[in-house]
Structure formats: structure tokens, C-alpha cells
Amino acid sequence: MLEVHNVEKVYGEAETAVRALQNINFAVKRGEFILIVGSSGSGKSTLLNMIGLLDRPTRGQILVDGADTSTLDDNHLSSFRNSKLGFIFQFSNLLSDLTVLENVLLPRRIQGTLDGATEEARMLLKTVGLESQLKKFANKISGGQAQRVAITRALINKPAIVLADEPTGNLDSISAETTVHLLKSLNRKLNQTFIIVTHDRPQFGDVDKIITIKDGRIVEGELEASMA
Amino acid sequence: MDYRAQIGIRFITRRKGSLIAASLAVAIAILVVQVNSVIFQGLYNAIVRDLTNYRFGHVFISKRGDFITRSDFMLVNWLDRIPYVQAAAPRLDYSALSINSTVNGQLIQDVNVPVPVLGVKPEWDVKASTLYQTVKGQYVSYRDSIVLGALVDRDLGYPQIGDTVKIKFKDQFGNDVLKRFVIVGISQTAGNQGNDNGVIINIDTLREIMDRPGQSSEIIVRLNDPSKADYVSELFLSAFPSSADKFKAQTIEQAAEVQLAGFRSGIALINLVGYFGMMSSAFAVVTIQMMQVSSKTRDIGVMRAIGAKRKDVLLVFIFQGMVIGAIGAGLGTAMGIGYTVYAKETHMTFQGSLALEVQYNWMGIAQTDIMAFVLAIIASIYPAFKATKLEPVEAMRFA
Ligand SMILES: Nc1ncnc2c1ncn2[C@@H]1O[C@H](COP(=O)(O)OP(=O)(O)OP(=O)(O)O)[C@@H](O)[C@H]1O
Ligand SMILES: [Mg+2]
């Protein structure tokens, strides 16, 4: 469903140019749970940005369901991100001027499909244990709670792919554990694809695929290394 | 509610400092425009009011470079029959060569600034003008009674009611005529808009002195509906065509053009100052909105990442501008109206000058409001446009 062909990303120009990614090739199937790992500065976030259509590659293509995304204009990319992708970022993700419930509903309001949305949002928030926090403003809840709200928001539009950049990065070990558990159980239950950047591979246990990045390249042989 | 409106409103209302600063900038600009209008339009209206009441009436009938020779009785009668006319009265203008107070011997004699002498027909004049109300004592009545303007009285060393003055005139043939009058009243007006620098005597006495029996300089006409001034002027001129009589019939604005024109351009200048104030309030809004945008970079990135389009981001900040404009306009209008009510109720004056004639200019207030509101939105366009240029990857950056 997702194919990455010869993707290259260069930041800046001429002497100051940084080649953050090069020669990236891989494919993702529906329902896969994939980790992207690598040391700091290796290009993990850059790759996730490309897959998430938040930024365009300098060269190469990203195909979704066989369609080349490089031909889409900004408005189409926005719609695409809204309906097909769910994002969980490492740092505060929520709009602090909206409540928990309003944050979760935002993708639906952008999509313009509000019918039954509030009920769905309440149910999702219940599954992450936040049913009592709906009316709280997003800056009045804990980091772990905020991360769970972000996960709920990433799921509200039933995206085909959920992308997360170090979703447990700034959580304590117990919150991190619940978050990992939540993501994996959602992946099993909803058959959505999860692509997760992490520093902490062991935390996730068994996964379908691991992509290891080093200096902007995929390190061969490490692919599928953890397949049981 | 539309989510862009909601986010825009939340962004600004949850930032009390920015909201207060931006809407105060808008409000103060409106207040300045309104205070200007209350004071300067009020002063203008007050001058028009006093010139109407004391000197020109609502319609001012005169003759090009000449005296009116037609019977004042006939003209006033004709005018009185028009339903909009409340009263009309003839007046005769002249000047004195000198005035001499007989109690103390003090003399006013200045060839360059002769003392104006106004002849009135008392029984008609009190209906067509309120000049008589400015008099302490009595208005002119019998043939040798005189009302001194307060400034004349001062320059003569404050002679009292009952004292006499001697006035020297030149008659039609250039001969000096000396005449004695008994002071019956002193006329004083705020801002010297009345006859403070002249004297008032009976028109028939003045006609005799000038040797112009039955003649007048002007007929002042008081209307019960001032908006009909043009109509009455035209009616008069059609009955007494200027081809035959060389009559002029002017509204107060035309008759007092000399006195008012300078003031009007002053008001225009003051308004310009007000509008510059508005422009600078718009710049304040631009600055605050730019701050808002940069402090919301991450939120904008998140919105974009989860699917908001550039135009949605634009709308968020336009809605913010609307909130600023609406609150600022509301606040400014409330303060402005408060000031207007205060000025009107207290009959505001400046250092004993004439009381402002304050009117509620709802059209003007609405115009200023709409302008301020629209300006706040226009001021938001550039910052909002800047916001749309932020890329969705901003959401991924460190906080
Ligand atoms: N906007 C940018 N402009 C210039 N260089 C950039 C930009 N973003 C990233 N880079 C560079 O690209 C390389 C990859 O960065 P990236 O953020 O993808 O690393 P990462 O693997 O996510 O690191 P970390 O684990 O620390 O998050 C780094 O050398 C970084 O300095
Ligand atoms: Mg990173």
C-alpha cells in the first residue's frame, strides 16, 4: 500500500547542503507494525516526514496505493493527510487552547464529517482511560495523558497509516509501557499500519519489520532482523 | 461553530495580554476620533447655533452691496405667512466714530476698529433672535435706550445701567452727529459670539441718524424647522427676484461662510489626525498578530499536519482580527458614547468659552466603528498570510 522509491532528501544548498536521506527503498503492507530505528541525526524523523507527506523528498517517489504523491498539490496533500494518515509527534502535539475532546475531534471537523464524531471520540478516549478529562484544556493534563489524547486524535479519522515519532520519548517507563501496549493492541484490532520511530527497540517487543537508518541510508541485513 | 472561528477566538481570548493590547489600540483610536468629533464638531455646532441665534437667523436676507429699501413691515409680513417661518425681523448695521462714557469721561475712539452699532426693532427682534437673552438688564426699547456689549462696557470703565453714553456718528452726507443714550442693559455671551464688542440701539433711531428712513441692512428669519432653510430662501427669491431687487437669501452656512470656513478646514485636519491614529492602531494590530502567529507556529504546524489547508490557517487569524476589531470597536464606542453623554449632560465648556453643542452622530459613530473593525481585519491579513507560509513539518520541531 505504501512504496518508497529511491528517496533522497537534501537540506540547504551548495556547501551547506546536508544529505539527510539517500537511496531509500522499501514497501509497507496493510496492517504492518514497523519500527524505524537509528542513532540521533541518522535521518529517522526526516524519513517519517517524507512518508507522512509533511515534506517533499528532493528526489524519488512515495506511492500510496500505487499513486505517486509528488504530483499532488498542497490542498490535496492536506486532504490526504487528514483522511489517510494519523500523526503522533514526539513533543506536545495538542492545541493547548482546545479541550481534550476538541483536540480529538479536530481532524473530523477539518474533514467536515461531524456526524457521530463526538460519540466515537468519547469511546476512543474511554479506551485510553481519559473519559473523565474531556473538558480539560490540553495544557492542563499530564504528558502521558497528552500522548494518549494524541493517539486518540490520530485514530479518529480511521487512517490507513499511523505515524509516530518517538511516541514514548518523553514519557516515564510506566506511561511508555501503556502507550506501547495501546499502539500494538490497536494495530491488531483495527488492522491499521503503524510506522514508529523509536530509540528504544526492545520496548516494542515483536514487530513486523524494523528499518535501521544510518547516515541517511537503510542498513541492509538489519531489515526484518527481529522477525521471530 | 466553525472550527477556524473557534480556534481563532480561543487563540486570542486565551491570550489576555495580546487581546487587551490589540483591542485597546483599536478602542483608543475610536475614542480619539469620537472625542475630536465631540469637541470640534461640538464647537462648530455651537458657533453655528450662536451665529444663528444672535446674528444671522436660519435665513439671512440682504441686498447686494446696498440697503433694503422695501418696507420691512411688508417683507416680514410676507415671510410670516410661510408655515416654516417662526418670526422675522429687520436689522440695520452701522458703526460709531467714538463712544464716550459720561460718568467717567472715558472714550473709545479708534478709526481702524470702529464700534459696530446694531439697530433692532425690539418687538420683532425678540421673536426672531435670542440676542435679547444675552442682556443683563433690559433690551433696547425707547428711542434713546442702548445696550452695551460687555467688551464695550469694559473699555468704557464699566458704566452702569442708568448711566449715559455719547456716541458720535457720521451721517449720510459725511457730517458728524452726536447723540446721547441711556444704558438699559449689558450684553454678554460665551465666546463673544453675540454682540459683545458692539452696541444695540433702536432701529428707528439709527435710521434717523443715518438718514435712511424705513431702510434695513438685513432681515433675519427664524424657522421652526431649520432643515427648510433652502426652501424658504428659494421661495423668497422667487417672490422677490434678484433681477429686480438684487436680494440675497442665504442659509446660515452661506451667510456665515467667512466665520465657518476656517473652522471647517480645522475640523478636517483634526479628523485627519484621528485617522492617522487609526492607522497607527492598525500597525499595533499587525505587530500583535505577528507575535500571535510566531507564538502559535507549532499549533499551526499541527493543524497543517492533521489536514488543515493554508486557507484554513488564514481564516483562523482573520477571525482573530475580527475578535480584536469587534472588542476594540465595542470598547471604543462605549467609551466614546460615555464621553459624548458626559459632554452633553454637563454642557461642556472650555475656560468660560461657549458651551459645546453636542449631538449624537450615530452615523459617524457607526462609520468609525466599521472602519476600525475593517482595519483590524485588514491589519490581520499580512500576519495571517505569513501563518499560511508555515510548513506542516513545523509540527515536528522542538517546542
Ligand atoms: N530542517 C532542516 N534543515 C537542515 N538540516 C536538517 C533539517 N532537519 C534535519 N536536518 C539534518 O538532517 C539530519 C537528519 O535529521 P533527523 O531529524 O531526521 O534525525 P533523527 O534521526 O530524527 O535524529 P533524532 O533521533 O535526534 O531525532 C541531521 O543531520 C539534521 O541535522
Ligand atoms: Mg527525530
Side-chain angles (χ1 to χ4, degrees):
Chain A
M1 65 174 316
L2 179 86
E3 290 167 61
V4 178
H5 283 309
N6 296 320
V7 161
E8 181 176 322
K9 179 67 181 180
V10 180
Y11 288 114
E13 314 237 320
E15 294 108 76
T16 59
V18 176
R19 186 164 296 206
L21 290 176
Q22 50 187 314
N23 199 28
I24 302 288
N25 286 286
F26 65 91
V28 177
K29 293 196 210 72
R30 179 157 197 94
E32 280 188 321
F33 198 97
I34 297 172
L35 294 185
I36 299 175
V37 298
S39 56
S40 183
S42 57
K44 306 183 294 295
S45 297
T46 306
L47 178 56
L48 203 71
N49 291 350
M50 300 299 135
I51 303 170
L53 309 180
L54 298 172
D55 204 353
R56 293 176 190 270
T58 312
R59 261 178 284 283
Q61 286 97 40
I62 291 163
L63 308 183
V64 179
D65 291 333
D68 186 356
T69 56
S70 65
T71 58
L72 296 175
D73 68 13
D74 194 79
N75 282 346
H76 282 99
L77 284 179
S78 297
S79 304
F80 195 92
R81 285 195 298 268
N82 179 248
S83 53
K84 293 288 196 305
L85 305 175
F87 291 93
I88 305 161
F89 308 118
Q90 179 177 358
F91 304 97
S92 147
N93 278 270
L94 305 177
L95 301 195
S96 58
D97 295 314
L98 297 183
T99 64
V100 165
L101 183 63
E102 286 164 348
N103 264 289
V104 173
L105 284 174
L106 192 54
R108 286 291 281 270
R109 294 172 80 182
I110 291 172
Q111 195 174 46
T113 53
L114 269 172
D115 277 356
T118 308
E119 269 322 296
E120 280 173 53
R122 278 173 195 276
M123 283 215 327
L124 280 170
L125 283 165
K126 198 169 173 183
T127 61
V128 298
L130 290 172
E131 65 269 33
S132 60
Q133 315 286 319
L134 304 182
K135 299 255 180 284
K136 276 200 181 162
F137 277 95
N139 56 352
K140 294 282 188 287
I141 56 175
S142 75
Q145 288 175 323
Q147 204 58 289
R148 281 181 278 157
V149 176
I151 292 168
T152 313
R153 187 183 61 192
L155 297 171
I156 189 79
N157 277 4
K158 303 188 186 68
I161 305 171
V162 177
L163 303 156
D165 195 348
E166 315 214 19
T168 60
N170 61 348
L171 297 184
D172 63 71
S173 59
I174 294 172
S175 300
E177 209 172 295
T178 14
T179 304
V180 168
H181 184 74
L182 181 66
L183 293 174
K184 294 193 78 171
S185 72
L186 285 167
N187 165 250
R188 251 174 276 124
K189 215 161 58 188
L190 303 170
N191 199 33
Q192 283 163 313
T193 304
F194 278 73
I195 302 176
I196 296 170
V197 168
T198 183
H199 268 117
D200 193 352
R201 174 162 58 178
Q203 201 175 43
F204 285 84
D206 285 350
V207 294
D208 295 322
K209 192 187 280 181
I210 294 175
I211 297 170
T212 306
I213 310 275
K214 197 177 174 208
D215 296 333
R217 297 166 192 268
I218 294 179
V219 181
E220 296 296 336
E222 296 249 358
L223 215 67
E224 304 181 24
S226 86
M227 292 291 279
Chain B
M1 196 198 297
D2 185 277
Y3 78 92
R4 293 156 298 196
Q6 186 188 33
I7 293 175
I9 292 167
R10 288 276 178 83
F11 273 3
I12 188 70
T13 54
R14 283 169 58 84
R15 276 257 173 151
K16 293 283 182 298
S18 300
L19 179 62
I20 291 169
S23 38
L24 265 186
V26 174
I28 287 169
I30 291 177
L31 185 64
V32 167
V33 171
Q34 288 206 24
V35 167
N36 279 348
S37 151
V38 165
I39 294 175
F40 294 96
Q41 193 64 46
L43 211 51
Y44 180 85
N45 292 341
I47 291 172
V48 170
R49 173 198 63 202
D50 288 356
L51 288 176
T52 303
N53 283 338
Y54 304 148
R55 291 213 222 160
F56 293 100
H58 295 111
V59 177
F60 184 80
I61 292 166
S62 57
K63 222 162 139 180
R64 267 169 242 281
D66 199 1
F67 292 87
I68 297 170
T69 47
R70 287 228 188 200
S71 147
D72 56 356
F73 189 79
M74 184 276 289
L75 290 171
V76 167
N77 246 322
W78 187 91
L79 285 160
D80 271 343
R81 281 204 301 273
I82 302 172
Y84 301 122
V85 172
Q86 191 174 314
R91 284 184 172 181
L92 185 58
D93 299 312
Y94 200 46
S95 55
L97 295 174
S98 69
I99 303 186
N100 189 355
S101 167
T102 46
V103 266
N104 55 17
Q106 229 160 298
L107 181 75
I108 305 177
Q109 185 170 26
D110 184 344
V111 279
N112 297 316
V113 193
V115 177
V117 178
L118 179 66
V120 300
K121 193 160 198 133
E123 51 300 5
W124 293 353
D125 207 81
V126 297
K127 291 187 200 129
S129 161
T130 56
L131 188 57
Y132 74 97
Q133 289 173 356
T134 69
V135 177
K136 271 202 218 80
Q138 280 179 341
Y139 205 39
V140 285
S141 46
Y142 47 89
R143 283 307 194 87
D144 58 355
S145 62
I146 190 166
V147 168
L148 298 187
L151 301 179
V152 175
D153 187 53
R154 183 197 64 195
D155 292 347
L156 286 177
Y158 299 107
Q160 304 284 304
I161 290 169
D163 292 343
T164 56
V165 291
K166 275 191 266 179
I167 304 186
K168 194 190 279 178
F169 300 95
K170 229 175 201 44
D171 72 7
Q172 216 181 350
F173 311 102
N175 303 319
D176 286 0
V177 180
L178 195 67
K179 188 150 173 60
R180 202 166 148 278
F181 293 90
V182 179
I183 302 169
V184 293
I186 311 288
S187 164
Q188 180 158 34
T189 54
N192 305 328
Q193 286 295 310
N195 205 49
D196 300 24
N197 64 339
V199 300
I200 309 166
I201 60 174
N202 192 305
I203 196 169
D204 291 324
T205 311
L206 190 56
R207 282 169 175 164
E208 251 168 47
I209 292 166
M210 294 168 71
D211 207 8
R212 292 188 178 277
Q215 300 185 14
S216 321
S217 305
E218 68 249 13
I219 310 277
I220 61 171
V221 186
R222 190 172 189 80
L223 304 181
N224 43 39
D225 180 356
S227 69
K228 295 292 189 292
D230 280 318
Y231 169 80
V232 172
S233 307
E234 279 164 31
L235 203 64
F236 180 85
L237 287 178
S238 62
F240 302 92
S242 58
S243 54
D245 279 301
K246 291 203 274 174
F247 273 125
K248 274 201 297 190
Q250 294 171 299
T251 61
I252 170 70
E253 283 82 9
Q254 295 161 343
E257 178 61 22
V258 183
Q259 288 95 326
L260 297 178
F263 207 94
R264 267 203 299 269
S265 52
I267 290 181
L269 194 73
I270 292 289
N271 284 341
L272 206 64
V273 171
Y275 293 129
F276 273 115
M278 256 186 183
M279 294 303 281
S280 45
S281 90
F283 281 110
V285 173
V286 172
T287 310
I288 291 162
Q289 284 278 56
M290 290 302 276
M291 280 163 50
Q292 279 290 110
V293 169
S294 66
S295 78
K296 293 297 180 193
T297 300
R298 199 182 170 81
D299 288 26
I300 296 163
V302 171
M303 283 178 62
R304 294 279 284 125
I306 64 177
K309 302 188 166 79
R310 292 192 194 281
K311 78 160 199 298
D312 299 323
V313 173
L314 186 86
L315 283 176
V316 164
F317 288 93
I318 296 296
F319 276 115
Q320 264 203 77
M322 286 182 172
V323 172
I324 291 168
I327 292 180
L331 207 65
T333 307
M335 294 192 292
I337 290 177
Y339 184 83
T340 311
V341 170
Y342 170 78
K344 193 172 175 74
E345 295 308 314
T346 60
H347 302 287
M348 189 180 278
T349 58
F350 292 97
Q351 283 133 26
S353 169
L354 70 174
L356 300 183
E357 177 77 19
V358 179
Q359 288 167 353
Y360 295 111
N361 178 5
W362 299 116
M363 270 305 286
I365 291 171
Q367 262 170 20
T368 314
D369 273 359
I370 291 167
M371 190 149 137
F373 180 70
V374 169
L375 227 72
I377 294 170
I378 291 174
S380 303
I381 290 175
Y382 178 71
F385 181 73
K386 278 272 170 196
T388 68
K389 291 288 156 211
L390 292 170
E391 296 296 334
V393 274
E394 296 292 339
M396 306 291 282
R397 297 252 163 87
F398 293 86

